[in-house]
Amino acid sequence: DVKVTQSSRYLVKRTGEKVFLECVQDMDHENMFWYRQDPGLGLRLIYFSYDVKMKEKGDIPEGYSVSREKKERFSLILESASTNQTSMYLCASSLSGLPTYEQYFGPGTRLTVT
Amino acid sequence: QQQVKQSPQSLIVQKGGISIINCAYENTAFDYFPWYQQFPGKGPALLIAIRPDVSEKKEGRFTISFNKSAKQFSLHIMDSQPGDSATYFCAGTIQGAQKLVFGQGTRLTINP
């Protein structure tokens, strides 16, 4: 079974703090994704990576950056957290050989910025 | 052009009834339409997917109906059970583009 783990289930940070969200997958997947999930807005793609050290902007990259130094690990960074970044953050991975629609998700990190 | 619009936002169905969730898309380049199911405290998981050259796909109690001319597709859950209570997301994707475009989600509650 593919396993995608996220470093924290719940996180509370203050406005202006630098925040790191970590994601690890154990199935040697090439592609990794960061989404945020908000009620009524669905899942929106922040960034994705199709290889180590490669990254591409998704639909809402403003205020975020990412890092992928190892194939299994993909980090989302909030350089200066703001209250409008309070959300559920979901990490996902997929294998390049599989259909594009088959992504495996972690359980999510609920981030609250006060 | 990238949007996928999903309705209703929430749905309550009696046990044994049929649950229907609808989606509409704009991007005619989409060539796969998956549905994901998310239980509370869990990440979404792939449920079923359809290609636009197929009008219907059935897996157990779950059926996707696809209307290419109307650019609409829907998920039908037959004989709905309390264990089906979850949030459902439709999506569109282009093979090789590595991205999913999700709908807004539907919170389904099946009353016993």
Side-chain angles (χ1 to χ4, degrees):
Chain A
D1 261 3
V2 176
K3 193 157 187 183
V4 179
T5 57
Q6 296 184 228
S7 51
S8 305
R9 295 300 303 271
Y10 300 94
L11 210 51
V12 179
K13 295 293 181 181
R14 293 193 179 275
T15 302
E17 278 193 85
K18 190 168 186 176
V19 181
F20 293 87
L21 303 182
E22 305 284 339
C23 175
V24 177
Q25 50 93 4
D26 67 355
M27 284 302 292
D28 206 34
H29 284 178
E30 291 88 357
N31 309 310
M32 296 188 75
F33 307 83
W34 276 106
Y35 295 88
R36 63 177 283 175
Q37 180 178 0
D38 300 288
L41 297 177
L43 278 69
R44 294 179 291 166
L45 182 64
I46 304 171
Y47 269 96
F48 67 103
S49 168
Y50 51 87
D51 200 353
V52 176
K53 297 192 185 294
M54 305 300 288
K55 61 183 179 184
E56 286 202 22
K57 293 180 180 179
D59 300 317
I60 52 165
E62 296 79 18
Y64 305 94
S65 62
V66 290
S67 172
R68 193 167 180 200
E69 296 296 320
K70 293 184 178 181
K71 190 175 185 180
E72 68 271 18
R73 189 179 297 269
F74 192 35
S75 301
L76 180 70
I77 303 155
L78 288 65
E79 294 289 341
S80 177
S82 64
T83 54
N84 62 12
Q85 293 178 310
T86 291
S87 186
M88 171 69 81
Y89 290 88
L90 290 162
C91 175
S93 71
S94 71
L95 192 60
S96 286
L98 285 176
T100 305
Y101 59 80
E102 193 164 4
Q103 294 184 8
Y104 296 85
F105 283 83
T109 295
R110 184 166 294 282
L111 173 67
T112 302
V113 183
T114 61
Chain B
Q1 192 74 7
Q2 285 288 319
Q3 279 188 329
V4 177
K5 294 183 179 178
Q6 183 173 346
S7 63
Q9 194 166 344
S10 63
L11 180 63
I12 300 173
V13 175
Q14 292 300 117
K15 179 182 175 182
I18 303 173
S19 304
I20 302 174
I21 303 170
N22 300 299
C23 288
Y25 64 97
E26 299 173 354
N27 189 345
T28 55
F30 286 151
D31 53 9
Y32 269 100
F33 297 89
W35 286 86
Y36 278 74
Q37 179 188 53
Q38 182 182 30
F39 292 108
K42 305 284 187 183
L46 179 65
L47 182 63
I48 187 174
I50 195 169
R51 291 172 50 133
D53 55 354
V54 175
S55 60
E56 185 175 283
K57 183 173 182 180
K58 186 175 182 178
E59 288 185 6
R61 295 184 293 107
F62 298 89
T63 299
I64 304 177
S65 298
F66 194 88
N67 185 331
K68 188 173 182 178
S69 61
K71 294 192 284 185
Q72 295 176 347
F73 57 110
S74 59
L75 177 69
H76 292 64
I77 306 174
M78 313 300 288
D79 187 26
S80 299
Q81 299 297 312
D84 298 329
S85 297
T87 299
Y88 292 82
F89 294 96
C90 62
T93 187
I94 302 169
Q95 278 302 306
Q98 309 298 341
K99 295 197 317 181
L100 289 167
V101 179
F102 283 93
Q104 292 83 357
T106 297
R107 178 176 283 188
L108 174 65
T109 303
I110 308 299
N111 282 337

